Amino acid sequence: MAVPVEEAPAFERARRAAARESWAEVYVLLCEADRHPSAALGPEDLDLLADAAWWTGHVDESVAARLRAHAGYVAAGDHRGAGQVAWWLSFEYRCLGRPAAAAGWLHRSRHHLEGEPDCPEQCFLAWTDAEEAQERHDPEAALAAARRMERLARASGSPDLIALSRQAQASVLLANGRRAEGLALLDDAMCAVTAGELSGMFTGWLFCLALTQCMEAADLGRAVEWTDAAMAWCEVPWSQHVRARAASAAGASGLGSGPGERGTEAPGAAPLAGADAPFADNPFRGLCRIHHVEVLDLLGSWAPAEAEAARVCGEVPVDSLDVAAAAHYAAGEIRRRQGRLDAAAVSYAHAHELGRIPQPGLALLRLAQGKADAAVTGLKLALACQSDPSHDLLGRARLLAARTEVALAVGDPDGAAEAVAELEALSGGAPLLGALADTARGALALARHEPALPPLRRALAGWLELRVPYEAAQARMLLAAADRASGDEEAARLELAAARATFERLGAAPDARRAAALLTGLRRRLPGGLTGREAEVLRLVAEGRTNKDIAHALVISEHTVARHLNNIFAKLGVTSRTAATAYAYAHGLVRTRA
């Protein structure tokens, strides 16, 4: 005779709840059972308690339960169980920032499993082997370990392990420039994720890993698609996840309500025990939301992105402070482009406190504040600190793009050229990287008085196709300068008007003011054939500013100021600052002071 659910021992009910992934219920039941010495938990139940504690936000309790589980497996002579728990302890200690403890438990895991026949538990060690080989810059060993992981996973028949092994191979291939192969494997792994075929832990894990890889590989299309899917998965109340998985399992065993009704209960069926148990939260929510912030930022949804960044800091587990750092940095980027420089500085400081180098945003903030030397130094250090530039292509590309901008601002075209050359070498067919490289190449060509229209038009087309509005507007600003240099003032006017409209819609106030000023200068033809920048320099000369003052005000080098003055003197036919000042007042370039 079956024991009624409510009369079954707590650990039996906890196991049933774990099969439904009702982790809050598992946590309550096993904590209750663990308080009674007469019903001591075995290592399997302690392992479940550790999982439940992690899911419900009790990270320290998760580690404590895992330690007890390991001792139980060792006492029972279960090397596979002990090896598996030891690997999880290594993983959790690493997340908690305790590398020595993590290394010790990884060694124990290897010791437990090294003499065992091939088994699913060895998948995790193979995964670690692949990651360590990548850190040693040994791609052949990394790929061999990832393929061993897949063989073990296939032998186990576990959909979770098979999907994770494909993701591991994708990571190795992407890191070594085999983009098409890597993305194909990643797509395959994500099919299992988005189809709901995996457990909650592996679903969240793969979402986080894949989104990180997409952003690092500058694959915006996949990042948008999978970020939307991840946030939909995270936002659904957990009780619905439980019911959906239970209905799916019942359907697979012939007990479901039929095709097309996956995720629903059969008419008249009693609800699952504990299905409506309260679930504290989904720990993956904050981890996935940071990628949502990055995507919203690129797509120009700055207000929602800033709000999401604030939510990340309240949602991420205590062992994921790097995610909170990324959220503060993202908020700083939005605030900087909106002209909220003090608020941006605070955000960058918070990111730095949590362990992130806040570059290139901080360097561009310093440039906007007129602190060009600090901008140059910050970028040089950030570029030098990247031990493996190929690991995060987008991060490296953004540093190089900022290096180009800053170098041109301080009159260092050679430094800009070096950054552009590396940026072009990185692009590798990725549209986002290609647009960044074309923008930088066009800016350099403008500074060197070389043909800039072809790369800038490619850049604008790329940004528009990617639907990245801020960078598209910046490309339009450069295009306007190139159009003016070629004598096409009508085209320049159109580009400036479009850029201004985009900046105003985004709330990028400083850029909108700059576009408006240039547009006004175009509408009123400047005398003497002066360009807009030359007119700006002449106005400041007429106000009695020195070359150093002008360089600081316009965030350019004194060498560039001197070059502009030579051009102004030649165009106006004057030979002194006094004569140039008189010309400026005579032609209405400077307002007469009362």
Side-chain angles (χ1 to χ4, degrees):
M1 181 175 176
V3 179
V5 171
E6 63 274 11
E7 296 179 10
F11 57 84
E12 290 184 11
R13 285 183 281 150
R15 291 168 191 168
R16 294 171 187 166
R20 302 190 303 272
E21 296 192 318
S22 185
W23 294 113
E25 185 182 2
V26 175
Y27 178 74
V28 170
L29 288 168
L30 289 181
C31 283
E32 178 186 347
D34 200 34
R35 285 193 288 268
H36 299 283
S38 60
L41 299 183
E44 295 88 352
D45 293 322
L46 287 167
D47 217 354
L48 276 184
L49 176 57
D51 289 342
W54 184 86
W55 276 101
T56 52
H58 304 90
V59 178
D60 290 340
E61 292 180 44
S62 173
V63 172
R66 203 90 66 188
L67 288 168
R68 292 169 60 197
H70 176 265
Y73 282 123
V74 170
D78 184 345
H79 291 288
R80 285 175 54 180
Q84 181 68 38
V85 171
W87 185 91
W88 277 106
L89 281 166
S90 172
F91 177 82
E92 290 192 272
Y93 276 126
R94 185 174 62 179
C95 291
L96 289 168
R98 297 181 58 184
W105 282 104
L106 180 61
H107 178 77
R108 281 200 175 187
S109 179
R110 295 188 191 281
H111 175 72
H112 286 304
L113 295 173
E114 64 184 357
E116 295 295 311
D118 286 354
C119 57
E121 291 80 4
Q122 292 169 347
C123 279
F124 295 95
L125 288 179
W127 188 24
T128 301
D129 291 339
E131 290 184 333
E132 290 180 345
Q134 282 186 261
E135 291 172 2
R136 298 194 307 269
H137 305 289
D138 188 347
E140 292 184 5
L143 191 56
R147 286 175 173 163
R148 169 173 164 74
M149 180 185 178
E150 184 177 25
R151 288 195 299 273
L152 292 166
R154 287 186 177 279
S156 75
S158 165
D160 285 345
L161 292 177
I162 291 170
L164 186 62
S165 70
R166 289 172 181 162
Q167 183 280 330
Q169 286 188 76
S171 176
V172 174
L173 293 169
L174 288 170
N176 290 283
R178 296 166 66 175
R179 186 180 181 87
E181 296 173 80
L183 290 175
L185 277 172
L186 195 57
D187 288 343
D188 185 284
M190 292 306 292
C191 282
V193 175
T194 55
E197 297 170 1
L198 309 183
S199 67
M201 173 62 79
F202 283 77
T203 295
W205 228 354
L206 282 162
F207 265 133
C208 288
L209 292 168
L211 291 172
T212 299
Q213 286 174 336
C214 285
M215 293 305 297
E216 290 178 349
D219 193 322
L220 183 57
R222 284 179 172 83
V224 170
E225 182 177 344
W226 292 339
T227 298
D228 289 344
M231 293 313 301
W233 176 74
C234 287
E235 296 298 342
V236 173
W238 198 255
S239 60
Q240 292 185 32
H241 284 304
V242 172
R243 285 191 173 128
R245 286 185 57 77
S248 174
S253 63
L255 300 176
S257 52
E261 294 183 288
R262 184 174 181 216
T264 61
E265 295 173 4
L272 293 167
D276 292 315
F279 182 75
D281 208 346
N282 184 339
F284 287 106
R285 186 169 296 159
L287 305 180
C288 291
R289 196 182 301 282
I290 186 57
H291 300 294
H292 193 217
V293 172
E294 294 168 345
V295 166
L296 289 173
D297 180 19
L298 279 169
L299 297 181
S301 298
W302 288 356
E306 189 172 3
E308 288 281 84
R311 293 181 68 185
V312 168
C313 297
E315 290 176 346
V316 294
V318 295
D319 57 350
S320 301
L321 294 181
D322 57 324
V323 178
H328 283 298
Y329 179 79
E333 287 290 85
I334 294 167
R335 292 164 180 169
R336 173 181 61 80
R337 286 171 292 181
Q338 290 178 331
R340 300 154 56 196
L341 302 188
D342 290 341
V346 170
S347 295
Y348 292 142
H350 285 319
H352 185 264
E353 288 169 6
L354 293 172
R356 175 172 180 138
I357 298 175
Q359 297 289 5
L362 183 58
L364 295 175
L365 172 66
R366 296 301 180 223
L367 186 64
Q369 294 171 329
K371 301 174 182 178
D373 289 344
V376 171
T377 301
L379 285 173
K380 283 184 177 178
L381 288 173
L383 285 164
C385 284
Q386 275 199 320
S387 58
D388 185 4
S390 64
H391 177 67
D392 181 4
L393 292 178
L394 182 56
R396 182 77 177 181
R398 282 171 163 164
L399 286 171
L400 292 168
R403 169 73 177 127
T404 304
E405 182 178 344
V406 171
L408 292 176
V410 300
D412 179 17
D414 292 338
E418 289 178 9
V420 170
E422 185 180 346
L423 186 51
E424 289 175 330
L426 282 182
S427 60
L432 184 56
L433 299 182
L436 274 171
D438 284 334
T439 303
R441 170 59 66 185
L444 178 62
L446 269 175
R448 287 177 163 177
H449 304 289
E450 298 170 353
L453 286 172
L456 290 174
R457 284 174 177 155
R458 286 197 307 272
L460 178 58
W463 292 125
L464 292 175
E465 185 174 352
L466 290 166
R467 300 182 181 180
V468 178
Y470 181 76
E471 282 73 9
Q474 292 283 21
R476 287 189 187 278
M477 295 288 285
L478 293 169
L479 260 176
D483 287 331
R484 288 194 68 186
S486 67
D488 191 347
E489 294 200 356
E490 180 60 28
R493 189 176 296 111
L494 290 172
E495 298 295 358
L496 287 172
R500 178 185 180 183
T502 299
F503 289 140
E504 289 176 344
R505 177 174 58 80
L506 293 172
D511 293 298
R513 288 194 296 268
R514 185 163 61 96
L518 290 172
L519 197 55
T520 300
L522 267 180
R523 287 172 178 158
R524 186 185 69 181
R525 184 176 294 275
L526 294 171
L530 296 174
T531 66
R533 178 47 65 94
E534 289 166 351
E536 286 180 304
V537 171
L538 181 55
R539 289 188 190 103
L540 293 172
V541 168
E543 291 176 5
R545 306 281 191 96
T546 65
N547 283 15
K548 184 176 182 179
D549 294 335
I550 296 169
H552 180 78
L554 300 181
V555 197
I556 57 179
S557 68
E558 291 186 53
H559 173 77
T560 302
V561 173
R563 179 168 55 79
H564 283 312
L565 280 174
N566 287 335
N567 292 338
I568 291 167
F569 288 177
K571 288 181 179 181
L572 304 185
V574 299
T575 57
S576 69
R577 297 171 83 94
T578 301
T581 298
Y583 185 97
Y585 277 99
H587 290 82
L589 294 176
V590 183
R591 290 184 179 179
T592 303
R593 294 176 181 173

